[in-house]
Amino acid sequence: MSALLEVRGLTKRFGGLTAVHDLDFEVREGEILGVIGPNGAGKSTTFNLIAGTYAATAGDVRFAGEPILGLAPHRIAARGVMRTFQHNRPFAGMPVIDNVLVGAHTRFGATLWSVVLGRSRAEEARRRERAAELVQFVGLGELARADVTTLSFGQGRLLEIARALAGEPRLILFDEPAAGLTAAECARLAEIIRGIAARSIAVLLIEHDMHFLLPLAHRVVVLNFGAKIADGLPAEVRTHPAVMDAYLGSHAAH
Amino acid sequence: MKSENPLALRATPLIRGAGAFIVLAGAAFFMGDYHNDVYRKLLLWVTLALGYNFLFGVCGQVAFSHFAFYGIGAYSIVIFLFQLHLPFPLAAICGIALCIAFALAVAIPSTRLEGFYLALVTLALGQLFIVVLNEGGTVTGGTGGIANYRLPEIYGLRLRGPWYTAVIALLVVATYAVLVRLDRSWFGRACRAVRDNPEAAAAMGVDVARTKVIAFTLTSVLAGIGGMVYAFVDNTVNPPIFGIENAFLLLFMVIVGGAGRHAGAVIGAVLLFLLPFWLSPLVGHHHALVFGVLVVAAILLEPRGLIGIYDRVADRYKGSPSR
Ligand SMILES: Nc1ncnc2c1ncn2[C@@H]1O[C@H](COP(=O)(O)OP(=O)(O)OP(=O)(O)O)[C@@H](O)[C@H]1O
Ligand SMILES: [Mg+2]
């Protein structure tokens, strides 16, 4: 089976700084691909390139066989690539459930005209029900009607996930979803991510915490200074000399 | 969706809308000419505030062109009817088309750039519009505007006195219904998402530029329709009405009432419209100062406006947070 996402020669330069350099990797349906690397290695930039937030300097990204590089972010989302942000970005003026419904934006079929005529209520009710299920799924069921500004940091992380799932993605990009979570929340998150992959959604997962990532990922890509320095099974990557050097070395230096 | 307000009647939207219309229109039949005139202007301000709230409060766009579009609607219906002698429905359609054309011409280039740009462009449009009105010669009537016309018979109907007030009441109710429906749909959420965090909105699949252009065009057209109705309230149109001062007053109404909330826009419009009537006997022409104080107080003490205060009181009795 061919890959759902294929990244070839992806490069991004910010002025003189090469944040991502000639990167190749692919992700299949139902696969969890871990992306690790020290701070500033270019992980988030890679996500921003795939999601269309940044324009690439060079390279090719194919999603379901079609090139998506250069498309606007909302078009990429509409094709089924949803993401979470490294730093929570809720829609502060809306309750939790409405935040999740924004994630389902591209799945609404009603035209503005039918909204004005009041003919879109059934679809709205159906979507709202589905969004409520997702809020439940990530464990925020009690807080569906709450103002997002009242959420804790960890609850905000979960909201990011529910919102991304609402878009019915075929590929989901998680940027450090476990950062700042308690051990219990991490365990729950690992559960959720496994559940997502089990629905044959492809998962790209950036994570610093090896204890969280290695048991979860099917394969791992290691970045350093924007370039891929290793990839393979979690067990292989863990003992890879270049990884020990670059990644663990830089951590030891802290 | 069931209303959460325990005081709200459990009635279908259609019945509620019809009820609101009957009450608003019916009131006009118990008023004399002077009060009918004041009441009509109040209803028009409420309509304008509802539309502007959707643009500014819901979609987060700071624009000062609302009164220019009100004026485009008013002048265009008068010019099309009495200078070009178009039949009424055609004149109305042409007026709306003109509003759409102007709105797109303003919104498409300015929403591509960052938010501040729209404020500047619409400020310029507002000023330019007044200049065009003043210099428009026989077409716009110059500084004196156009007068001495009357609402023609529309399909044999002669709408006079309180009956014309009923038309305005219908406009208010219809505007409210349309905006509330839009707000409670994917479109309204997209607008709020664009306001709160455009980058996250785009990542969720919202076409940010398109959403802004639609919201701007739609609310500008609503202002234009309000202007068409206004043209037959005073049976005269002249430049000062459509100036930038009123655009700021509209902004104040929305902020004081509670930006982003339809009920807030209504409360803000009613309060700030009526305030000068109460204040003038007390402080003369200094009521502008009171407005300034009110706006600053709203921003500093309760950024959610009067409706925010109402929410807090209501929450205390209900025990659950409302949106
Ligand atoms: N918009 C930008 N403009 C200029 N430089 C940028 C921009 N975004 C990222 N960079 C730079 O690109 C490099 C890679 O950043 P990136 O955010 O992708 O790292 P990361 O691997 O996600 O790191 P972290 O683990 O800290 O999140 C860094 O040196 C960063 O300073
Ligand atoms: Mg990062």
Side-chain angles (χ1 to χ4, degrees):
Chain A
M1 195 179 62
S2 75
L4 181 64
L5 181 79
E6 295 169 88
V7 175
R8 298 279 171 258
L10 191 62
T11 300
K12 175 67 183 178
R13 276 193 282 277
F14 292 109
L17 175 92
T18 304
V20 175
H21 178 69
D22 200 19
L23 191 58
D24 292 323
F25 65 85
E26 44 195 52
V27 198
R28 283 184 289 276
E29 286 180 356
E31 183 180 38
I32 302 173
L33 179 67
V35 180
I36 60 171
N39 290 112
K43 306 180 297 293
S44 295
T45 303
T46 302
F47 271 23
N48 284 324
L49 292 171
I50 295 170
T53 310
Y54 292 164
T57 308
D60 185 29
V61 175
R62 279 167 193 273
F63 178 70
E66 300 198 11
I68 56 168
L69 219 53
L71 292 182
H74 67 268
R75 297 207 187 282
I76 295 175
R79 287 176 183 225
V81 180
M82 297 295 283
R83 67 172 301 182
T84 68
F85 289 94
Q86 182 169 353
H87 305 286
N88 290 347
R89 288 184 175 217
F91 303 118
M94 285 182 249
V96 167
I97 183 102
D98 284 41
N99 266 263
V100 174
L101 277 163
V102 175
H105 179 81
T106 60
R107 304 299 150 196
F108 278 83
T111 61
L112 268 188
W113 193 236
S114 66
V115 167
V116 169
L117 295 179
R119 289 198 197 127
S120 58
R121 291 213 184 84
E123 180 182 46
E124 177 76 16
R126 202 170 62 239
R127 288 279 159 203
R128 198 166 274 276
E129 213 167 287
R130 175 91 189 93
E133 283 167 24
L134 283 172
V135 171
Q136 197 80 41
F137 174 66
V138 299
L140 295 176
E142 304 284 284
L143 295 163
R145 302 251 4 120
D147 198 321
V148 283
T149 51
T150 64
L151 297 190
S152 71
F153 176 79
Q155 290 165 336
R157 300 305 285 152
L158 295 170
L159 172 60
E160 287 269 322
I161 295 169
R163 192 173 69 173
L165 283 174
E168 295 171 7
R170 296 177 65 194
L171 168 68
I172 189 160
L173 314 176
F174 287 124
D175 198 345
E176 299 192 25
L181 297 192
T182 64
E185 285 171 329
C186 276
R188 169 110 190 89
L189 179 65
E191 200 73 9
I192 289 169
I193 292 174
R194 277 201 191 92
I196 292 167
R199 299 177 186 184
S200 50
I201 295 170
V203 177
L204 254 179
L205 177 60
I206 293 178
E207 197 48 73
H208 269 299
D209 183 353
M210 297 283 208
H211 298 291
F212 178 79
L213 183 84
L214 294 181
L216 198 57
H218 299 135
R219 280 188 311 124
V220 179
V221 170
V222 188
L223 301 185
N224 196 19
F225 296 115
K228 182 164 86 174
I229 55 167
D231 65 356
L233 300 175
E236 296 166 3
V237 164
R238 192 206 303 265
T239 53
H240 198 288
V243 177
M244 307 273 283
D245 219 38
Y247 193 69
L248 303 175
S250 87
H251 259 229
H254 274 300
Chain B
M1 289 286 101
K2 293 273 187 311
S3 170
E4 285 165 19
N5 187 340
L7 297 175
L9 292 172
R10 298 222 172 232
T12 68
L14 194 66
I15 293 175
R16 260 182 292 174
F21 168 68
I22 289 167
V23 170
L24 287 176
F29 291 86
F30 298 94
M31 293 177 190
D33 283 350
Y34 170 72
H35 282 108
N36 241 303
D37 185 56
V38 173
Y39 182 51
R40 286 169 175 179
K41 282 167 189 159
L42 170 67
L43 292 178
L44 284 168
W45 274 103
V46 169
T47 314
L48 284 167
L50 282 167
Y52 190 67
N53 173 56
F54 198 92
L55 184 64
F56 169 73
V58 174
C59 203
Q61 299 188 65
V62 182
F64 298 101
S65 53
H66 224 65
F67 265 89
F69 282 97
Y70 192 60
I72 291 171
Y75 268 88
S76 67
I77 191 92
V78 172
I79 291 169
F80 290 151
L81 277 177
F82 305 110
Q83 291 179 10
L84 303 181
H85 304 288
L86 299 183
F88 186 85
L90 190 61
I93 289 169
C94 289
I96 290 172
L98 204 61
C99 288
I100 292 175
F102 271 103
L104 291 176
V106 169
I108 291 175
S110 47
T111 48
R112 281 189 195 288
L113 300 162
E114 283 310 308
F116 184 57
Y117 200 76
L118 182 71
L120 285 183
V121 170
T122 53
L123 211 50
L125 176 74
Q127 302 286 35
L128 188 70
F129 180 65
I130 298 302
V131 173
V132 169
L133 291 186
N134 282 331
E135 305 297 324
T138 51
V139 178
T140 64
T143 50
I146 309 171
N148 296 323
Y149 58 82
R150 301 230 113 211
L151 182 65
E153 276 187 22
I154 303 161
Y155 301 116
L157 279 178
R158 217 164 234 292
L159 297 163
R160 293 279 184 273
W163 291 102
Y164 195 65
T165 311
V167 171
I168 304 176
L170 185 64
L171 178 73
V172 176
V173 174
T175 302
Y176 187 88
V178 166
L179 292 176
V180 167
R181 277 179 178 178
L182 287 173
D183 189 24
R184 292 186 186 157
S185 73
W186 55 266
F187 179 70
R189 283 188 300 269
C191 287
R192 287 171 189 273
V194 165
R195 173 197 67 187
D196 290 344
N197 196 325
E199 197 179 322
M204 296 303 119
V206 175
D207 186 338
V208 174
R210 188 162 172 264
T211 303
K212 284 183 178 176
V213 169
I214 293 174
F216 184 84
T217 306
L218 193 109
T219 54
S220 296
V221 167
L222 285 178
I225 294 173
M228 292 183 194
V229 173
Y230 165 74
F232 303 100
V233 166
D234 285 343
N235 284 320
T236 170
V237 285
N238 49 66
I241 304 285
F242 308 110
I244 227 69
E245 270 168 50
N246 276 339
F248 276 103
L249 179 52
L250 196 57
L251 177 67
F252 292 167
M253 286 173 170
V254 169
I255 291 174
V256 169
R261 297 281 297 273
H262 306 287
V266 174
I267 293 169
V270 170
L271 186 75
L272 292 201
F273 177 78
L274 293 180
L275 214 51
F277 291 92
W278 298 323
L279 286 179
S280 289
L282 302 175
V283 296
H285 284 302
H286 297 301
H287 60 253
L289 194 69
V290 179
F291 278 25
V293 172
L294 262 180
V295 171
V296 173
I299 292 170
L300 293 180
L301 301 176
E302 178 52 82
R304 290 181 301 161
L306 290 169
I307 198 78
I309 296 173
Y310 167 84
D311 281 351
R312 270 193 275 162
V313 174
D315 283 352
R316 200 161 300 162
Y317 288 104
K318 213 161 52 180
S320 79
S322 73
R323 52 177 288 163

